[in-house]
């Protein structure tokens, strides 16, 4: 897979979201016509295959579940990815409740 530049990623016409649970499916997705391929893989810490996949891709997006994943676990996953020389593209916080977005801090 060729690595897309930031400008190319935002101008990409076709994106493909593919499961990362099968080598055959991943190869088919990578060989297809999509400009950007996103592979959905297993969690970083319990499954070594995820780190192997990380080294073969342009980068990883770390997905964290709100109110469920401990900060220490997130930091360990981040450290595992960076030690593995996987480029960390960002972090997504999912399952956020509206009440989590309200702040009592004022300026």
């Amino acid at each position: 897979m060729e690595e897309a530049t930031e400008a190319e990623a935002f101008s990409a016409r076709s994106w493909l979201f593919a499961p990362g649970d099968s080598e055959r499916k991943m190869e088919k997705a990578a060989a297809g016509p999509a400009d950007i391929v996103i592979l959905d893989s297993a969690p970083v810490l319990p499954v070594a295959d995820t780190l192997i996949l990380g080294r073969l891709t342009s980068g990883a997006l770390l997905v964290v579940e709100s109110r469920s994943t401990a900060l220490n676990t997130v930091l360990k996953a981040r450290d595992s990815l960076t030690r593995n020389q996987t480029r960390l593209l960002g972090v997504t916080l999912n399952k956020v409740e509206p009440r989590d977005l309200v702040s009592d801090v004022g300026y």
Side-chain angles (χ1 to χ4, degrees), residues 39-54:
L39 301 173
D40 181 21
S41 68
V44 173
L45 296 178
V47 183
D49 291 355
T50 303
L51 292 175
I52 294 167
L53 182 60

Side-chain angles (χ1 to χ4, degrees), residues 44-45 51 62 71-88 91:
V44 173
L45 296 178
L51 292 175
L62 185 60
L71 178 58
N72 190 41
T73 302
V74 175
L75 296 175
K76 284 181 183 178
R78 178 205 61 191
D79 292 346
S80 291
L81 289 167
T82 55
R83 271 195 313 273
N84 189 58
Q85 300 176 349
T86 298
R87 181 176 167 207
L88 186 58
V91 178

Side-chain angles (χ1 to χ4, degrees), residues 21-78:
D21 61 347
S22 160
E23 187 175 340
R24 184 184 57 76
K25 290 177 187 174
M26 290 186 291
E27 287 175 355
K28 185 176 178 182
D35 295 323
I36 302 288
V37 177
I38 299 172
L39 301 173
D40 181 21
S41 68
V44 173
L45 296 178
V47 183
D49 291 355
T50 303
L51 292 175
I52 294 167
L53 182 60
R55 292 190 82 173
L56 300 174
T57 62
S58 299
L61 178 65
L62 185 60
V63 179
V64 178
E65 186 173 333
S66 177
R67 296 183 170 260
S68 176
T69 309
L71 178 58
N72 190 41
T73 302
V74 175
L75 296 175
K76 284 181 183 178
R78 178 205 61 191

